[in-house]
Amino acid sequence: MECEEMHRQLEILDENPKEMGEEEQEELEEQQNSGEKRRREKSKGKRPFPTYILEDAIKVPQVIRQFNGGNPWSPDEIAKALEIGNSNKYYSLTASSRDYGFTEGTRSTKTIALASIGRSIVYARSAEEEINGYKQAFFRVPLFKRVYECYDERTLPQIRYLKNTLITEFSIDEEFQDDFYKVYQANSNFLSRLEETIQNKSLKGEKVEISSNKEHSADAFILGELKKRQL
């Protein structure tokens, strides 16, 4: 299976993190050529994961909670609250929020409403409940869950070593691979930071603030991934 081969390559990288051996490089190139052929046969040109990261997508349910009492709200009003404008990028943001299970509906629907996962985060009663909500959102995306399980919860290798597996095992079209890597890694790092914050403050006996319940401000809302990657 491809996952077994992937684990073997990870072991090689763990032993020599700077570069793979010559034989492994040749084997990888051969697999990539084979994977490219399979990609052309299987590719449907459809993006199989959200455009936006968790930190960006959560802004949609946050403004619904803050400015409309958690009740279903029109996409136009949400766009105004986010100061993002009713554009294709706004559709991608609302679609990402939907795909994570934060909200129901998109820019194209009459209203956008809080979904169960989004509600559990923005109305979280504890930091643990909040982070559990984010984990549910991450694993709600089938591709993220499959990759996470295939890698046995380990950090992904560099993208140049990952590309072949993304093609052959997960059928991710080449045009989406770099972006998948960035979104997946950003989400993983975000979840790790949340867990570390909770653990550190708990050890110190400090109160852990629930970030999702803080008041939203336009200045605080920065679509970091949008501005960096221009999605």
Side-chain angles (χ1 to χ4, degrees):
M1 292 178 62
E2 187 69 27
C3 281
E4 294 176 356
E5 172 61 22
M6 174 198 60
H7 291 313
R8 189 184 71 81
Q9 290 181 8
L10 277 176
E11 291 175 358
I12 294 172
L13 289 173
D14 287 340
E15 295 174 358
N16 187 357
K18 291 184 178 181
E19 61 180 1
M20 297 179 70
E22 183 176 345
E23 292 183 3
E24 285 77 15
Q25 285 280 12
E26 292 178 355
E27 183 179 353
L28 182 61
E29 290 177 3
E30 182 179 347
Q31 291 177 349
Q32 286 175 334
N33 292 334
S34 176
E36 174 63 17
K37 180 178 180 180
R38 291 182 59 182
R39 183 193 68 79
R40 288 194 297 267
E41 294 173 351
K42 292 184 176 181
S43 175
K44 297 180 180 179
K46 184 178 180 181
R47 183 190 185 96
F49 58 93
T51 302
Y52 286 91
I53 62 176
L54 291 165
E55 287 181 277
D56 288 342
I58 194 61
K59 301 302 179 181
V60 178
Q62 281 179 340
V63 297
I64 293 176
R65 175 190 183 274
Q66 182 179 352
F67 297 116
N68 204 45
N71 298 308
W73 210 11
S74 75
D76 288 343
E77 292 302 318
I78 293 174
K80 291 177 183 177
L82 293 174
E83 299 184 358
I84 189 175
N86 197 350
S87 63
N88 288 334
K89 293 175 182 178
Y90 175 51
Y91 172 80
S92 295
L93 179 66
T94 57
S96 295
S97 180
R98 175 202 61 198
D99 293 343
Y100 286 126
F102 293 155
T103 49
E104 297 175 350
T106 66
R107 182 199 67 177
S108 302
T109 57
K110 184 176 181 181
T111 61
I112 297 177
L114 292 180
S116 59
I117 295 177
R119 185 175 293 277
S120 73
I121 294 174
V122 299
Y123 285 103
R125 293 162 293 184
S126 69
E128 289 75 14
E129 184 177 352
E130 178 185 19
I131 193 171
N132 284 337
Y134 279 117
K135 287 180 179 179
Q136 289 181 48
F138 180 76
F139 290 122
R140 190 176 186 276
V141 180
L143 181 58
F144 290 165
K145 188 174 188 295
R146 287 178 59 207
V147 171
Y148 182 85
E149 292 175 345
C150 191
Y151 276 84
D152 290 336
E153 306 178 17
R154 299 174 66 173
T155 302
L156 297 185
Q158 296 177 23
I159 185 63
R160 61 174 174 154
Y161 302 123
L162 181 65
K163 283 181 177 291
N164 184 57
T165 302
L166 293 180
I167 293 173
T168 59
E169 181 68 17
F170 303 107
S171 301
I172 301 178
D173 193 87
E174 187 175 9
E175 66 178 301
F176 300 125
Q177 289 180 5
D178 288 335
D179 199 35
F180 165 80
Y181 187 80
K182 293 176 184 177
V183 174
Y184 183 96
Q185 292 290 71
N187 284 339
S188 296
N189 292 337
F190 172 64
L191 292 175
S192 295
R193 291 199 307 272
L194 286 181
E195 289 186 325
E196 289 176 3
T197 298
I198 292 174
Q199 292 174 358
N200 292 338
K201 291 197 173 184
S202 296
L203 290 174
K204 295 178 181 179
E206 299 177 2
K207 182 179 179 181
V208 182
E209 294 185 3
I210 302 175
S211 60
S212 296
N213 289 343
K214 293 180 180 178
E215 291 298 306
H216 167 82
S217 68
D219 291 337
F221 178 66
I222 301 176
L223 288 176
E225 293 302 303
L226 168 62
K227 291 187 176 182
K228 291 178 182 178
R229 294 186 282 110
Q230 293 296 312
L231 298 179

